[in-house]
Amino acid sequence: MSASRKAASLTEAILLATVARRFYVQGRSKLEIADEFGVSRFKVARMLDTAMESGLVRVEFSLPAPVDLVLSDEVRSAYGLERALVLERSTEREPKEVVRAKIGSLAARLLEEIAAPSDVIGLSWARSVNAMAEAVRSLPRCPIVQLCGVQAGMDMRGRSVETVSRVTSVSGGDAYPIFGPLVLPDRRTTETLRRQPGIAETFGQFRHLTKAVVSIGAWQPGESTVYDALDEAERAAIAARGATAEVAARLFDASGNALSTGLAHHVLAISHEELMAVPEVIALGYSRPKAAAVDAVLRSGMVSTLITDAAAAVPLLALAAKNPPR
């Protein structure tokens, strides 16, 4: 009796596997399979379901990059994005610099695929954007525009000017750098520098941008270029105004609203309005400490593509479930 049941089970398994092979591998329709095996197409549908539920058939995705397909789709759907690329969960155990390199590699691969000769591409400074610049291998001939000034104290290899130079060397297009500091002492100095011919030419390109690659910073130590460039009193004052996130030296509150502070008048950077007007913005924001900041920026409606990791994606989904984005 036991042997008979095992034989029947094996026979059934072979039948289910054969039907599944016809459907998934050979591309036959359910009606064609039904005609071949002398059953109804509804029976075929049930057999396919059984094959899947029993584990006889498993669906696997072999993506050309280390992306968690489920988390990517959930984040994209939760925030209404065009794309979301979430690194595999295994990266949660890796050092931050390794994760950064993988984020940069994903961004480089995406930019290589979607950039067109008609594009004008903007780049903000960030370690992750710098990692992207190191990984880019081919781009169409298009202009590359620096979105904000240079952070004081950075070595030349990591500065935004050098990032723009590296990407321009790949594209062969025109470079529009900003040879000036990110944060300036006062409004008068900022306005004077903005009128300098080279800087004014770059600022004039902002209205022509079609794509931008930016990094999302959190308003906390070590998580924002601008935060680290200010003194403690300025940081605290801006935090008291509700600053949660920073992109290209522009601030956002937790709801994704542009935050107006005195900082806007002494940074060399693209404006909120110009940033929001860019048709396609690829934002790089990763690690658990930045989850709230990434959530805030996504709520602004500025981002079309997010590249992140599972460490940020999981709390992001919790934030979106608790307070669904508009």
Side-chain angles (χ1 to χ4, degrees):
M1 187 71 168
S2 177
S4 174
R5 284 180 179 174
K6 286 180 181 179
S9 177
L10 176 61
T11 302
E12 182 183 10
I14 290 173
L15 176 60
L16 291 175
T18 304
V19 169
R21 183 172 181 275
R22 294 282 192 278
F23 185 74
Y24 292 110
V25 179
Q26 297 178 341
R28 304 276 293 276
S29 70
K30 292 175 185 176
L31 187 58
E32 289 174 321
I33 298 169
D35 288 343
E36 178 183 350
F37 288 92
V39 297
S40 71
R41 60 188 176 91
F42 301 106
K43 174 67 173 177
V44 171
R46 287 195 296 273
M47 293 170 77
L48 292 171
D49 288 342
T50 300
M52 189 75 73
E53 291 165 3
S54 66
L56 183 64
V57 172
R58 294 186 299 275
V59 177
E60 295 182 354
F61 300 94
S62 182
L63 296 174
V67 172
D68 186 309
L69 186 64
V70 174
L71 280 178
S72 297
D73 188 49
E74 289 177 348
V75 171
R76 182 201 60 77
S77 179
Y79 288 92
L81 301 172
E82 183 176 345
R83 305 180 197 88
L85 303 178
V86 180
L87 283 177
E88 292 174 340
R89 290 176 184 266
S90 60
T91 61
E92 291 181 283
R93 299 186 296 273
E94 295 177 335
K96 193 169 185 178
E97 58 271 19
V98 174
V99 176
R100 181 187 304 130
K102 290 184 177 181
I103 291 285
S105 180
L106 278 179
R109 185 161 188 165
L110 176 64
L111 190 62
E112 289 171 349
E113 290 180 5
I114 67 175
S118 57
D119 279 325
V120 178
I121 300 173
L123 301 178
S124 71
W125 184 89
R127 291 179 180 87
S128 54
V129 178
N130 188 49
M132 181 207 73
E134 296 280 5
V136 168
R137 295 292 176 264
S138 65
L139 284 176
R141 187 179 181 85
C142 53
I144 308 298
V145 183
Q146 188 175 329
L147 300 182
C148 51
V150 177
Q151 181 188 11
M154 294 299 301
D155 63 77
M156 283 304 296
R157 183 171 172 78
R159 290 182 175 183
S160 48
V161 173
E162 297 304 302
T163 299
V164 167
S165 176
R166 281 195 296 273
V167 177
T168 301
S169 70
V170 175
S171 77
D174 295 328
Y176 292 91
I178 297 176
F179 289 100
L182 175 64
V183 181
L184 294 154
D186 53 55
R187 184 170 189 162
R188 181 177 179 181
T189 305
T190 304
E191 291 176 351
T192 299
L193 279 178
R194 284 183 181 178
R195 289 194 293 269
Q196 295 299 309
I199 294 176
E201 185 179 21
T202 296
F203 271 64
Q205 290 295 315
F206 292 161
R207 64 181 180 273
H208 302 305
L209 292 170
T210 58
K211 289 181 173 64
V213 183
V214 302
S215 173
I216 299 174
W219 200 247
Q220 52 186 283
E223 302 293 347
S224 163
T225 305
V226 179
Y227 183 98
D228 294 338
L230 302 179
D231 61 41
E232 188 56 44
E234 290 176 299
R235 296 170 184 170
I238 291 172
R241 299 286 298 273
T244 299
E246 173 258 321
V247 174
R250 299 305 175 186
L251 303 176
F252 296 83
D253 66 17
S255 298
N257 301 309
L259 196 60
S260 179
T261 69
L263 178 66
H265 302 301
H266 60 108
V267 292
L268 281 178
I270 188 172
S271 69
H272 272 120
E273 293 77 16
E274 290 165 325
L275 200 52
M276 294 294 294
V278 179
E280 186 159 9
V281 174
I282 301 167
L284 316 183
Y286 59 100
S287 78
R288 184 172 291 275
K290 284 189 177 179
V294 174
D295 173 72
V297 175
L298 295 184
R299 290 176 189 275
S300 75
M302 177 185 72
V303 176
S304 51
T305 297
L306 174 69
I307 301 180
T308 187
D309 62 352
V314 172
L316 258 183
L317 291 170
L319 289 167
K322 185 177 179 180
N323 180 22
R326 292 193 298 271

